[in-house]
Amino acid sequence: MDKTRRNNLKQARTLQIWNVVYDVIEVVVSLIAGFTANSSALIGWGLDSTIEVVSAGTLGWRLHGEIKGIDEEKVKRRQKITLNVIAISFTLICVFISYDSITKLINQETANWSTLGLIILLVSLAVNPILIYFKRKYGKKLDSPALMADAKDTFICLYQTVVVLIGLILVNWLGWWWADPVAALLIVPYAAKEGWEAYNKARNINYNIAKND
């Protein structure tokens, strides 16, 4: 492995470490804010961010493995296990968000204002574009589909942040009680799509390993 690639791998791994640190903070703060304010959208956003933690952590693990020169098949097996975990997690998140949001729509429950939720959403709007830029940068330098895909996941998280923020504002400024559960439901299609893609990627890795064996 040449020196330039090794340096890029190390920088990309450092990026993923910082990504995990921030996402953990995001998850904790958003869930506290969500449960305190009875906000389906904030809770759903926080749960979805847990997948970002798993994805970023796993990618960092894989980058570390390449730096250390581990066997390619071991990398694939790690990826397969993680993708299956992500697919299951997304499925559970879709079920929870759908049940919680539909129940609140039926009961006409509204969310309370959350200053903490507003702060973490605004911070996320500032942080995620930076993460997207550097993930794409190193994804291109390393010719890494995984890093490019991770950048896409972060972009989806950015979209969800905007949706949840709009829902929070509509509930409290215009009194649209239904905006919060509707904002949460808008997360479901993207979570389902990501879960399905993770499942298909894991299945393809199964095929490749079986073929190699």
Side-chain angles (χ1 to χ4, degrees):
M1 183 188 304
D2 63 82
K3 185 177 180 180
T4 300
R5 182 170 180 82
R6 179 177 291 275
N7 287 336
N8 285 331
L9 283 169
K10 288 182 178 179
Q11 290 173 354
R13 181 186 60 181
T14 301
L15 174 65
Q16 294 307 111
I17 292 172
W18 282 111
N19 192 175
V20 170
V21 171
Y22 171 71
D23 279 343
V24 168
I25 295 172
E26 186 178 87
V27 169
V28 173
V29 175
S30 60
L31 289 180
I32 291 174
F35 282 110
T36 302
N38 193 34
S39 170
S40 297
L42 276 172
I43 294 172
W45 184 68
L47 291 175
D48 188 68
S49 294
T50 62
I51 308 303
E52 293 293 319
V53 174
V54 175
S55 177
T58 303
L59 185 50
W61 186 30
R62 290 176 56 205
L63 291 169
H64 179 74
E66 185 176 347
I67 293 171
K68 295 298 181 181
I70 67 171
D71 184 80
E72 182 179 353
E73 185 175 332
K74 290 182 179 179
V75 174
K76 289 183 177 180
R77 291 186 186 278
R78 290 182 181 184
Q79 185 181 17
K80 179 191 69 173
I81 293 171
T82 304
L83 286 170
N84 281 321
V85 171
I86 290 174
I88 294 171
S89 299
F90 269 124
T91 301
L92 293 175
I93 286 172
C94 287
V95 172
F96 174 82
I97 294 176
S98 297
Y99 172 79
D100 188 56
S101 300
I102 292 173
T103 299
K104 287 179 178 176
L105 281 172
I106 293 173
N107 296 330
Q108 297 188 8
E109 293 182 35
T110 186
N112 298 316
W113 176 255
S114 174
T115 301
L116 184 61
L118 177 65
I119 291 172
I120 193 62
L121 288 168
L122 293 176
V123 171
S124 181
L125 283 179
V127 172
N128 280 330
I130 297 173
L131 292 174
I132 292 169
Y133 170 79
F134 282 106
K135 286 178 182 181
R136 286 178 175 172
K137 175 182 176 180
Y138 290 112
K140 291 177 181 179
K141 284 187 175 182
L142 296 169
D143 190 24
S144 171
L147 268 171
M148 297 301 289
D150 198 42
K152 179 183 175 183
D153 289 344
T154 305
F155 179 80
I156 292 173
C157 183
L158 180 62
Y159 159 79
Q160 293 170 348
T161 302
V162 174
V163 170
V164 174
L165 181 60
I166 291 173
L168 186 66
I169 291 173
L170 289 177
V171 168
N172 292 279
W173 288 9
L174 299 180
W176 294 0
W177 63 268
W178 46 266
D180 181 78
V182 168
L185 285 173
L186 289 175
I187 296 175
V188 173
Y190 290 91
K193 176 178 176 293
E194 291 302 306
W196 180 250
E197 288 183 357
Y199 168 74
N200 283 327
K201 288 177 182 177
R203 186 174 59 179
N204 289 335
I205 291 174
N206 280 329
Y207 171 78
N208 291 332
I209 291 175
K211 187 176 179 180
N212 291 333
D213 290 343

